[in-house]
Amino acid sequence: MKTKTLKSNNHDIFFKFKTNGHRLTAPRKAIITILSNTNNHPSVEEIYMEVHKQYPSIGITTVYRTLDLLVNWGLVHKFDFGEGKSRYELIEHPNGLGHHHHLICVNCKKIINYTDFINDEIELFQKLETRLSNKYNFKIKHHIVEFYGICEECINK
Amino acid sequence: MKTKTLKSNNHDIFFKFKTNGHRLTAPRKAIITILSNTNNHPSVEEIYMEVHKQYPSIGITTVYRTLDLLVNWGLVHKFDFGEGKSRYELIEHPNGLGHHHHLICVNCKKIINYTDFINDEIELFQKLETRLSNKYNFKIKHHIVEFYGICEECINK
DNA sequence: TTTCTTATTGATAATGATTATCATTTTCTT
DNA sequence: AAGAAAATGATAATCATTATCAATAAGAAA
Ligand SMILES: [Mn+2]
Ligand SMILES: [Mn+2]
Ligand SMILES: [Zn+2]
Ligand SMILES: [Zn+2]
């Protein structure tokens, strides 16, 4: 039984705020909670709207600032899928969804997460990261893999 | 002897303009030439500056428009490395540099192209694309692989 | 070559996402 | 309770990208 795979939860992130010498405030909690409760890749605007429900006084500036912090600490991925705005995603997702890759429809912009890696895939990426790290003296933090193309609906249409 | 691997050149792209029913104009030629003569990933502003030398009357709007065309025809990749602006790269590069992946320094934004894939890597990506295409009924056009981290100079500093 | 039709261009204004400012409010520590 | 520092939110400022539109140039037809 691998207890390692126990789901992490918000408390880890909350804790990180404290240990980093930053304050764990209501708006920050709210933003993290939103991120924890979605399987999408919400934009700043979307996160703002959502937080606003629970915490109407929040300003969108704070959303930007909090996300920046989380990205710099390596807790959140910042994506650009070519829409002219960024999208965000928790890296250690409390509700399952761990590291994954993306299929992106260039037509309708739909995004498919896939986590069902083939064995070779995980293995290769580990090998790759070691090789590249050594060869280029580059300390790799994370990677992004995106397949661009046309989704099912857009083909049949 | 594989004559297939002969380097493609600008004429292929020039030709494509015609067959697509678009006009091959001076500004368009100039933009394509710039893209052919760099190993970087120039931004719109950079391309504009460069073209401007040869063709001082060009407007930056035309650079945007031409790049859009090339991206839509699958001749140019549009990248976002997290700088708040897009960068572009010819897919079939006349001067060698073919398909490659990226190492991106999150600190100084330097970008390393690597083309020295290991055999497994190429093989895996082919397998992956077939599998994903079938599973998700998704017509894959191209993929992007980016490793984010800290480069040599930024570590020793 | 001249004429005609239409795609293309470039100046300019408009948009929209992200950042910078700064006075005010919270938080945490004495 | 008081003070120092961090965080917030309203607002203005930036900056990349788009939309408009009249002027121009390219290619087809004559
Ligand atoms: Mn995802
Ligand atoms: Mn490249
Ligand atoms: Zn689609
Ligand atoms: Zn660097």
Side-chain angles (χ1 to χ4, degrees):
Chain A
M1 288 302 132
K2 298 192 289 182
T3 54
K4 288 290 193 49
T5 59
L6 273 178
K7 299 182 292 188
S8 64
N9 59 32
N10 285 347
H11 293 64
D12 293 340
I13 300 187
F14 290 171
F15 181 74
K16 188 125 188 179
F17 261 98
K18 301 233 178 92
T19 57
N20 274 53
H22 288 105
R23 293 171 184 173
L24 180 54
T25 62
R28 283 171 177 176
K29 273 187 188 168
I31 291 168
I32 292 168
T33 302
I34 298 300
L35 286 173
S36 305
N37 292 334
T38 180
N39 283 315
N40 288 23
H41 314 84
S43 64
V44 170
E45 185 67 24
E46 285 163 356
I47 294 168
Y48 169 70
M49 297 291 223
E50 199 62 28
V51 176
H52 191 267
K53 292 180 189 168
Q54 312 299 132
Y55 192 93
S57 74
I58 198 173
I60 200 168
T61 316
T62 298
V63 178
Y64 275 103
R65 275 189 296 233
T66 304
L67 288 170
D68 270 359
L69 281 177
L70 293 168
V71 168
N72 284 331
W73 294 345
L75 297 170
V76 163
H77 268 179
K78 182 179 186 178
F79 287 103
D80 184 291
F81 296 122
E83 303 165 288
K85 66 187 154 200
S86 301
R87 294 188 168 275
Y88 298 83
E89 181 174 74
L90 221 47
I91 291 182
E92 297 283 335
H93 205 288
N95 305 325
L97 195 62
H99 177 65
H100 58 273
H101 296 167
H102 293 133
L103 300 177
I104 301 158
C105 178
V106 296
N107 188 248
C108 70
K109 310 290 182 190
K110 184 172 57 189
I111 298 159
I112 301 172
N113 297 319
Y114 78 90
T115 53
D116 51 335
F117 304 116
I118 49 185
N119 292 329
D120 293 350
E121 196 169 352
I122 299 174
E123 208 176 290
L124 177 82
F125 269 90
Q126 274 160 356
K127 214 163 38 170
L128 254 182
E129 295 204 358
T130 342
R131 192 180 74 94
L132 293 170
S133 291
N134 291 332
K135 171 153 190 187
Y136 294 101
N137 260 98
F138 193 96
K139 185 170 175 46
I140 294 177
K141 292 289 191 59
H142 69 276
H143 66 252
I144 286 180
V145 176
E146 298 171 346
F147 293 92
Y148 286 83
I150 314 285
C151 79
E152 192 165 13
E153 286 82 45
C154 289
I155 293 178
N156 309 321
K157 216 203 51 181
Chain B
M1 287 299 133
K2 297 192 287 181
T3 55
K4 287 288 193 50
T5 60
L6 275 177
K7 298 183 292 191
S8 65
N9 59 33
N10 287 346
H11 293 64
D12 293 341
I13 300 187
F14 290 171
F15 182 73
K16 189 125 189 178
F17 261 97
K18 301 238 177 89
T19 57
N20 275 53
H22 288 106
R23 292 172 184 172
L24 181 53
T25 64
R28 283 171 178 174
K29 274 185 188 167
I31 291 168
I32 292 168
T33 302
I34 297 300
L35 286 173
S36 305
N37 292 333
T38 181
N39 284 315
N40 287 25
H41 314 83
S43 63
V44 169
E45 185 67 22
E46 285 163 357
I47 295 169
Y48 169 69
M49 297 292 223
E50 200 61 30
V51 177
H52 190 268
K53 292 180 190 167
Q54 311 299 131
Y55 192 93
S57 73
I58 198 171
I60 200 168
T61 317
T62 299
V63 179
Y64 275 103
R65 276 188 294 232
T66 304
L67 288 170
D68 269 359
L69 281 177
L70 293 168
V71 168
N72 285 331
W73 294 345
L75 297 171
V76 163
H77 268 178
K78 182 179 186 178
F79 287 105
D80 184 292
F81 296 123
E83 303 165 288
K85 66 185 152 201
S86 300
R87 294 188 168 276
Y88 299 82
E89 182 174 73
L90 221 47
I91 291 182
E92 297 284 335
H93 205 288
N95 304 326
L97 195 62
H99 177 67
H100 58 272
H101 296 167
H102 292 132
L103 299 176
I104 301 158
C105 178
V106 295
N107 189 249
C108 71
K109 310 290 181 190
K110 183 172 56 189
I111 298 159
I112 301 172
N113 297 319
Y114 77 92
T115 54
D116 50 334
F117 302 116
I118 48 184
N119 293 329
D120 292 351
E121 195 171 353
I122 299 173
E123 205 176 294
L124 179 82
F125 270 91
Q126 275 161 354
K127 214 163 40 171
L128 254 181
E129 295 204 357
T130 339
R131 194 181 74 93
L132 293 170
S133 291
N134 291 332
K135 172 152 188 186
Y136 295 101
N137 259 96
F138 193 95
K139 184 168 177 44
I140 294 176
K141 291 287 193 58
H142 68 276
H143 65 252
I144 287 180
V145 177
E146 299 172 345
F147 293 93
Y148 286 83
I150 314 285
C151 79
E152 193 165 11
E153 285 82 45
C154 289
I155 292 176
N156 310 322
K157 216 203 48 177

